[in-house]
Every structure is written in C-alpha cells, then in structure tokens.
C-alpha cells in the first residue's frame, strides 16, 4: 500500500510539473489571447502550439483564406467556402512581468524572434490576393508623443496623428472618460492621459465602422491593427502594484470586452479579434539566416554544379513546357494529315505542270 501511495504521489507531482512547464511561456508576459473567432476557425492546443512574432502574419493570412500555408498549426479554417470578414489585432506593450487578466477563447505563448509583428506583410498579402478591391486597412502605432497611422482609406482620416490631438478628444461629452469615471486615474497626468487617449482612438475607429456600414460590405477581409504603449507608461510612472495600475488593467479589460462585442455586432460575428500582451522587447531571439555573402557550405558534391532540388519556378516551367509540347504535337498531326490527303495535281504548285509545257508535249 505504501508503494502504491508513493507511485500516486510521484504521478501527481509529475503532472503538476507538466502543467507548470506548459504555462512557462505565458508567465513571461508574452502571450496572445483570442477574444473571438468564427466557429469554423479551429485552434491548436496551446501546450503544443509554436507561435512566434515572425510567423503570426502567415498564420493570420492562412486563417483569413488569403494565403495557403501547408504547415499552419495554430489557426486553421475548417471551411473552404468561408473566411472571416475582418481581423482586429490589439497589441499592449507592458512592463516586464506585467500580466493582464483577460478572458479569451484561447491563449498561446509567443516567441519574439522579431521585435514587432509585421502587419504590413499581412496587408500586402491581402492586396496581392485582391488587386481590384480596396479593403479597409489601418495600422496604428503609438510612439511617445506621435502616432504612426498607416491607411489609404478616407474614412479613417479623423484618426489623430499626435497625442495632443488625441487628448483633446477626452474633453468631449461622449469620450471614454465620461463613460468610465475613474477614482485614481487622472487624465491630466501624462501617463494616464496617454493610455486614455489611445483607448479613445481605438474606440473612435470602431465607432467609425459602425457609422459607415457600406464601407465594410466588401469581398475582402478588413485589417485593423493597434499597438498601444500607454499601459507601460502607467506601470512605469506609478508602479506595477499601484492603485492606478490596477485601475488601468480594469479599464483595459472592460474596453477590450466592449470593443469585441461591438466588432461582433458590426461584422455579424464573422470577425477575428486578437490581443497581444508583451513587454517592451529589447533583446530578441536571434534567427540564423543564410546570407549571399556567407561562406559556402562544405558539401562534397558542391564541385559538381548540381541543379537545385526544388525551386518556386519549377511548376511554372513545367506547365510552359508541357502545354507547348502538346501544342506542337497537335500542330504536327494537323500538318501531316493535310499533306497526306492533299491532291498534288490540283492543290500543290510543286507538281503543277505549266500550260505552255503541256502544249509542246501535245
């Protein structure tokens, strides 16, 4: 009995350690939360998923049906005929070891092999897929006192380009300050006002979509991305354990929940909403890549000048050669059939006898 109890204790201990190690990626603060996704989008188990900041655009493109990815492991679409109408990505830059209690459908730890998520890569994939369409695209980045706003759609022309203009919006009667009266927060404080201005800007963009329903009735998925640094500013100014930071966390949680419900209402539930919580990435994992100036690989067959095993142009070259051969074969058959059934006396100038020569012979 004692041996069995010891075995049970060991199994319990091992299971506890397994659970702890599975959540180590979440404890470092770099995690992506899936707030909403259509029912035909499936997610891989978070314990076995491998998601990096460099692969996230390709994963989202595969889920949106824009780019086929054979080894897409995290996001998979179970329907060939359906795709989300929009993708809404929120990235909150926080201080180190700062966790935000968000309720989500699924969450995955992220490996930051790049110091940012290349949203432009995802936008370029959509533009290449739909050349004749004009999808809604917005990439918003908050950086100190300036906002970097990248968009080609006129409906987003009211998005402020600086923190000063964004703070002026907080003075209106329908701003986020009036709907969420704060106890410890002060909009006149630099860090507090920055977070409030950022959240207000995101809310105004969603309200713009609500007020322009015709602009979202397109065949292309809409892409909206926001990178907000106000939460880190609040944590650095007041401390992670301060009342201001706790209230900022509650404000962020409520705002994200409200934005998710608004987007579900706008797109009829056919929208993907992701929230990334990450500290400021100063040192990223180095990804070793080959360079044109790098040393040549020590391959024993390199002196033979062998052809490549595979190239992206191989399918194109194969189709060109195949259909050109088919065309030439059909052309040869058509010419051979015509020559075989030709009457030399009537149709060929080579065998036709001139009239003068025929009279001399007579």
């Amino acid at each position: 009995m004692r041996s069995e109890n010891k075995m049970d204790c060991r199994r319990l201990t091992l299971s506890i350690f397994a659970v702890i190690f599975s959540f180590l990626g979440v404890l470092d603060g770099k995690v992506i939360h899936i707030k909403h996704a259509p029912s035909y989008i499936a997610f891989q188990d978070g314990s076995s998923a491998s998601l990096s900041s460099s692969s996230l655009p390709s994963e989202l493109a595969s889920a949106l049906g824009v780019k086929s990815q054979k080894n897409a492991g995290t996001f998979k679409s179970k329907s060939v005929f359906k795709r989300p109408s929009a993708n809404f990505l929120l990235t909150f830059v926080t201080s180190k070891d700062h966790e935000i209690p968000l309720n989500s459908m699924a969450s995955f730890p992220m490996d930051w092999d790049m110091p940012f998520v290349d949203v432009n890569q995802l936008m370029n994939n959509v533009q290449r897929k739909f050349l004749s369409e004009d999808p809604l695209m917005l990439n918003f980045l908050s950086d100190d006192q300036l906002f970097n706003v990248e968009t080609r759609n006129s409906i987003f022309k009211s998005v402020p380009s600086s923190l000063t203009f964004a703070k002026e919006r907080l003075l209106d009667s329908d701003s986020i300050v009036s709907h969420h009266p704060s106890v410890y927060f002060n909009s006149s404080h630099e860090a507090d006002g920055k977070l409030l201005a950022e959240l207000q800007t995101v809310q105004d963009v969603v309200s713009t979509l609500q007020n322009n329903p015709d602009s979202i009735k397109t065949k292309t998925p809409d892409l909206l991305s926001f990178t907000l640094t106000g939460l880190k500013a609040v944590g650095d100014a007041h401390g992670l354990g301060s009342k201001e930071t706790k209230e900022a966390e509650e404000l962020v949680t409520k705002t994200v929940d409200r934005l998710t419900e608004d987007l579900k209402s706008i797109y009829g539930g056919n929208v993907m909403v992701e929230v990334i919580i990450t500290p400021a990435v100063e040192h990223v994992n180095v990804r070793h890549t080959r360079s044109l100036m790098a040393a040549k690989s020590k391959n024993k067959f390199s002196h033979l000048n062998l052809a490549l095993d595979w190239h992206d142009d191989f399918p194109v070259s194969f189709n060109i050669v195949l259909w050109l051969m088919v065309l030439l074969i059909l052309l040869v058959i058509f010419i051979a059939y015509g020559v075989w059934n030709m009457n030399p006396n009537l149709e060929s100038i080579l065998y036709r006898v001139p009239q003068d020569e025929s009279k001399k012979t007579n």
Side-chain angles (χ1 to χ4, degrees):
M1 292 296 293
R2 292 183 178 177
S3 60
E4 293 179 357
N5 292 333
K6 290 182 179 180
M7 290 296 295
D8 294 338
C9 292
R10 289 179 180 177
R11 291 175 181 174
L12 179 61
T13 304
L14 291 176
S15 62
I16 292 174
F17 276 109
V19 173
I20 292 175
F21 285 125
S22 64
F23 283 98
L24 282 178
V26 182
L27 292 178
D28 65 353
K30 304 171 185 176
V31 60
I32 178 172
H33 297 275
I34 310 299
K35 289 293 295 182
H36 178 74
S39 58
Y40 53 84
I41 300 295
F43 304 102
Q44 187 180 351
D45 185 12
S47 60
S48 58
S50 177
L51 190 61
S52 60
S53 58
S54 61
S55 65
L56 182 59
S58 299
E59 292 281 352
L60 294 177
S62 178
L64 293 173
V66 175
K67 181 180 179 182
S68 60
Q69 186 177 2
K70 297 181 180 179
N71 299 324
T74 308
F75 308 141
K76 293 183 179 179
S77 178
K78 298 183 292 184
S79 176
V80 183
F81 305 100
K82 296 180 180 179
R83 64 164 164 257
S85 300
N87 188 86
F88 193 87
L89 177 62
L90 274 172
T91 302
F92 288 98
V93 180
T94 62
S95 302
K96 189 177 180 181
D97 300 328
H98 191 186
E99 300 177 12
I100 309 298
L102 289 177
N103 296 324
S104 57
M105 298 175 55
S107 60
F108 306 94
M110 291 192 65
D111 179 20
W112 284 86
D113 54 352
M114 291 179 61
F116 58 92
V117 177
D118 190 4
V119 183
N120 292 325
Q121 177 184 350
L122 180 59
M123 293 181 176
N124 292 334
N125 291 333
V126 173
Q127 290 178 347
R128 283 194 295 264
K129 182 73 173 180
F130 307 96
L131 294 176
S132 60
E133 301 290 338
D134 189 16
L136 293 180
M137 294 185 181
L138 175 65
N139 187 12
F140 178 89
L141 174 62
S142 174
D143 186 13
D144 293 334
Q145 299 295 321
L146 297 177
F147 293 162
N148 185 13
V149 182
E150 298 178 5
T151 183
R152 295 190 304 176
N153 305 105
S154 58
I155 66 171
F156 298 131
K157 61 182 179 181
S158 61
V159 178
S161 59
S162 65
L163 182 61
T164 304
F165 293 154
K167 285 184 176 181
E168 294 178 357
R169 176 70 176 87
L170 300 175
L171 302 177
D172 298 337
S173 58
D174 59 342
S175 66
I176 194 174
V177 178
S178 60
H179 290 87
H180 298 280
S182 59
V183 179
Y184 304 103
F185 242 43
N186 186 4
S187 59
S188 61
H189 192 276
E190 182 178 358
D192 301 351
K194 182 178 182 180
L195 177 60
L196 292 172
E198 291 176 351
L199 297 178
Q200 181 65 56
T201 302
V202 179
Q203 182 62 54
D204 289 342
V205 171
V206 176
S207 300
T208 302
L209 296 177
Q210 289 178 329
N211 298 330
N212 296 273
D214 295 335
S215 61
I216 64 175
K217 295 180 181 179
T218 59
K219 298 180 181 179
T220 60
D222 301 334
L223 302 177
L224 296 99
S225 174
F226 300 87
T227 302
L228 311 179
T229 58
L231 193 59
K232 180 180 183 300
V234 173
D236 294 341
H238 303 287
L240 296 181
S242 63
K243 297 179 181 179
E244 290 83 0
T245 303
K246 296 298 181 182
E247 187 172 353
E249 295 175 0
E250 296 178 359
L251 179 61
V252 168
T253 303
K254 292 180 181 179
T255 303
V256 170
D257 292 341
R258 186 178 67 257
L259 292 174
T260 303
E261 295 300 324
D262 292 341
L263 291 170
K264 289 167 59 178
S265 176
I266 294 172
Y267 292 98
N270 194 28
V271 61
M272 292 184 62
V273 181
E274 306 92 20
V275 180
I276 298 178
I277 306 297
T278 177
V281 181
E282 298 177 356
H283 302 284
V284 299
N285 298 331
V286 178
R287 170 172 289 185
H288 297 281
T289 58
R290 292 193 298 174
S291 174
L292 294 176
M293 302 299 294
K296 297 182 179 180
S297 59
K298 295 181 180 180
N299 188 0
K300 62 180 180 180
F301 300 109
S302 59
H303 65 282
L304 298 179
N305 193 21
L306 299 178
L308 298 175
D309 294 335
W310 175 257
H311 196 272
D312 294 336
D313 294 336
F314 285 173
V316 179
S317 303
F318 174 78
N319 279 274
I320 293 175
V321 175
L322 173 64
W323 296 112
L324 184 60
M325 291 178 59
V326 170
L327 180 61
L328 291 177
I329 290 173
L330 293 177
L331 186 61
V332 170
I333 293 174
F334 177 76
I335 295 174
Y337 177 81
V339 173
W340 182 265
N341 293 277
M342 183 175 60
N343 189 349
N345 294 328
L346 299 177
E347 300 180 4
S348 176
I349 194 174
L350 298 177
Y351 301 101
R352 185 175 296 174
V353 180
Q355 293 182 358
D356 296 339
E357 293 294 332
S358 61
K359 290 179 179 179
K360 291 180 180 180
T361 56
N362 294 331

